[in-house]
């Protein structure tokens, strides 16, 4: 009997956890249904919050015309399919990491260069500059429209053993996003990069398919990576930010008034999301500690060893990204 009650409770817990992370308005007849798909989960993740806020505003301000449905946690499309799905109009809104556009543009490699941004403020200052804003439209020829940059956080390495010096990573396998810069950066540490979809990372860490990964506090907490890793180290080596995006096909299908409201909401939600993101990251760092996860805090001399090991990977990408763009980003 107790067993039965427990399994009912477990099912209810799954139901409420899912519904807390989705923003499913019940769309009315005659409303244009717009699907927003993303890969992150939990309730405290910056992308989850921003996506749900966007849906809530559209569903209120364009009530009767448009209805946004949010699909978190790779439930509609995962990393490998979502960009194609956008071009096929099977989904209308996405917010992929800037590290996942290698097949469409090399320019976004600039965001992945290790240690190019000293913190998220530097990254936000770059994205607000002319060069940063121009990059929103770097994939116009493909049919992708950038609506705004959603910051997420700096990234940290975790592994199944403590990583204090970069030599501790030698010989280990690290899951990376599909970014050539990330692959080169891991190789520069004498480790081996394994590109993999986000939804598969927890299982791969748990079963030992990979030894480690690199991500933000928000992803490490909400995906529970800390459960299957020895510890996370404060390398702060790269930025994770998203392109909140749609397709030209979708934008062209909107009447001018609806499009203007849609763009205004996207702009305002982006500004609001980036204002609170540092606090969300800090809270998720605390959440990891509260949940029993371990964090190795590097001192300045220890961190410099990581900079020295990974930064030379920049050189390989100078010609495809462009030396001017790299210099512009590094100047913030
Ligand atoms: C990852 O694949 O590690 C992240 O880009 C997932 C995300 O969207 O935060």
């Amino acid at each position: 009997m107790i067993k039965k009650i427990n399994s009912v409770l477990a099912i209810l817990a799954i139901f409420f956890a899912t519904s807390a992370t989705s923003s499913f308005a019940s769309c009315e007849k005659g409303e244009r249904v717009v699907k927003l798909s993303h890969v992150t989960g939990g309730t405290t993740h910056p992308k989850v919050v921003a996506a749900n806020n966007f849906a809530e505003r559209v569903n209120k301000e364009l009530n009767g015309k448009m209805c946004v449905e949010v699909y978190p946690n790779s439930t509609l499309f995962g990393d490998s399919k979502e960009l194609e799905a956008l071009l096929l109009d099977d989904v209308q809104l996405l917010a992929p990491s800037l590290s996942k556009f290698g097949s469409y543009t090399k320019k976004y490699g600039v965001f992945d260069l290790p240690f190019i941004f000293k913190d998220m403020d530097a990254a936000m200052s770059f994205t607000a500059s002319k060069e940063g804003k121009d990059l929103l439209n770097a994939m116009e020829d493909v049919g992708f429209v950038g609506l705004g940059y959603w910051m997420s956080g700096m990234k940290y390495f975790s592994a199944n053993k403590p990583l204090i010096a970069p030599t501790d990573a030698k010989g280990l396998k690290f899951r990376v996003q599909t970014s050539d810069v990330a692959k080169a950066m891991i190789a520069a540490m004498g480790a081996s990069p394994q590109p993999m979809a986000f939804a598969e990372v927890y299982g791969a860490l748990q079963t030992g398919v990979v030894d480690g990964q690199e991500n933000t506090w928000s992803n490490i907490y909400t995906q529970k990576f800390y459960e299957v890793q020895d510890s996370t180290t404060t390398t702060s080596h790269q930025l994770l930010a998203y392109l909140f995006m749609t397709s030209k096909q979708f934008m062209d299908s909107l009447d001018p008034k609806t499009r203007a409201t849609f763009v205004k909401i996207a702009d305002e939600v982006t500004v609001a999301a980036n204002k609170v993101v540092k606090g969300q990251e800090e809270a998720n760092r605390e959440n990891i500690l509260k949940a029993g996860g371990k964090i190795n805090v590097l001192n300045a001399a220890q961190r410099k060893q990581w900079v020295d090991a990974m930064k030379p990977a920049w050189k390989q990408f100078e010609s495809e990204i462009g030396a001017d763009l790299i210099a512009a980003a590094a100047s913030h």
Side-chain angles (χ1 to χ4, degrees):
M1 181 67 178
I2 290 183
K3 226 174 172 181
K4 209 168 180 182
I5 293 172
N6 279 344
S7 55
V8 170
L9 287 178
I11 291 166
L12 282 176
I14 291 168
F15 171 76
F16 285 116
T18 316
S19 56
T21 59
S22 321
S23 177
F24 264 89
S26 33
C27 298
E28 291 157 23
K29 220 171 148 212
E31 281 184 325
R32 167 97 179 257
V33 177
V34 174
K35 294 180 178 164
L36 193 174
S37 171
H38 68 85
V39 300
T40 55
T43 52
T44 59
H45 194 288
K47 182 154 61 178
V48 169
V49 175
N52 290 350
N53 285 346
F54 179 78
E56 209 171 281
R57 289 231 10 219
V58 169
N59 296 346
K60 199 161 143 203
E61 291 164 48
L62 288 172
N63 187 26
K65 283 195 161 178
M66 195 184 276
C67 175
V68 175
E69 293 179 344
V70 182
Y71 295 85
N73 255 329
S74 310
T75 45
L76 185 62
F77 293 107
D79 284 327
S80 59
K81 292 275 185 301
E82 62 180 14
L83 289 166
E84 284 162 44
L86 184 63
L87 292 175
L88 293 169
D89 200 35
D90 290 338
V91 63
Q92 290 73 37
L93 288 163
L94 301 174
S97 145
L98 294 168
S99 314
K100 292 177 181 167
F101 290 96
S103 328
Y104 300 98
T105 177
K106 296 292 174 203
K107 296 267 175 235
Y108 283 12
V110 72
F111 292 102
D112 273 345
L113 295 174
F115 306 102
I116 191 159
F117 301 116
K118 69 175 184 304
D119 52 26
M120 258 200 290
D121 286 335
M124 286 194 236
S125 158
F126 171 61
T127 51
S129 70
K130 177 173 179 329
E131 291 88 350
K133 282 189 195 147
D134 285 351
L135 281 182
L136 275 180
N137 302 313
M139 298 174 290
E140 232 170 8
D141 56 334
V142 182
F144 291 152
V145 176
L147 295 165
Y149 296 105
W150 288 358
M151 292 294 141
S152 190
M154 301 308 287
K155 285 160 64 179
Y156 311 95
F157 281 109
S158 69
N160 53 12
K161 61 180 256 203
L163 301 174
I164 306 301
T167 46
D168 295 329
K170 256 203 173 93
L172 300 188
K173 279 182 264 157
F174 284 90
R175 178 268 173 175
V176 289
Q177 303 180 61
T178 52
S179 151
D180 289 345
V181 178
K183 284 184 225 161
M185 181 186 87
I186 300 287
M189 301 191 312
S192 109
Q194 307 274 317
M196 187 182 290
F198 187 59
E200 289 162 26
V201 181
Y202 183 94
L205 293 170
Q206 189 177 39
T207 55
V209 168
V210 290
D211 303 298
Q213 62 86 45
E214 35 141 27
N215 236 305
T216 57
W217 299 126
S218 297
N219 275 334
I220 294 168
Y221 175 64
T222 56
Q223 299 296 316
K224 297 190 165 61
F225 293 157
Y226 61 86
E227 283 180 356
V228 284
Q229 294 280 264
D230 174 86
S231 48
T232 305
T233 302
T234 58
T235 45
S236 189
H237 57 280
Q238 255 184 344
L239 171 78
L240 177 64
Y242 308 118
L243 185 71
F244 182 41
M245 67 187 299
T246 183
S247 66
K248 182 169 183 317
Q249 186 184 351
F250 174 73
M251 285 302 252
D252 289 349
S253 73
L254 302 178
D255 65 73
K257 200 164 159 240
T258 306
R259 193 184 313 134
T261 307
F262 179 87
V263 168
K264 180 171 170 280
I265 297 171
D267 286 346
E268 290 174 2
V269 167
T270 298
V271 170
N274 290 339
K275 249 190 204 140
V276 295
V277 68
K278 280 197 277 177
Q280 291 166 318
E281 267 291 279
E282 207 34 54
N284 282 326
R285 183 194 209 269
E286 286 305 309
N287 287 338
I288 293 170
L289 293 172
K290 272 189 227 144
K294 270 195 280 164
I295 295 176
N296 310 310
V297 180
L298 298 179
N299 64 33
Q302 287 168 329
R303 187 161 176 276
K304 185 174 177 302
Q305 292 185 302
W306 291 84
V307 179
D308 293 345
M310 289 189 279
K311 206 167 164 182
W314 281 33
K315 285 269 170 300
Q316 296 173 47
F317 298 95
E318 213 168 80
S319 61
E320 65 182 41
I321 295 172
D324 288 353
L325 184 57
I326 295 177
S331 71
H332 289 267

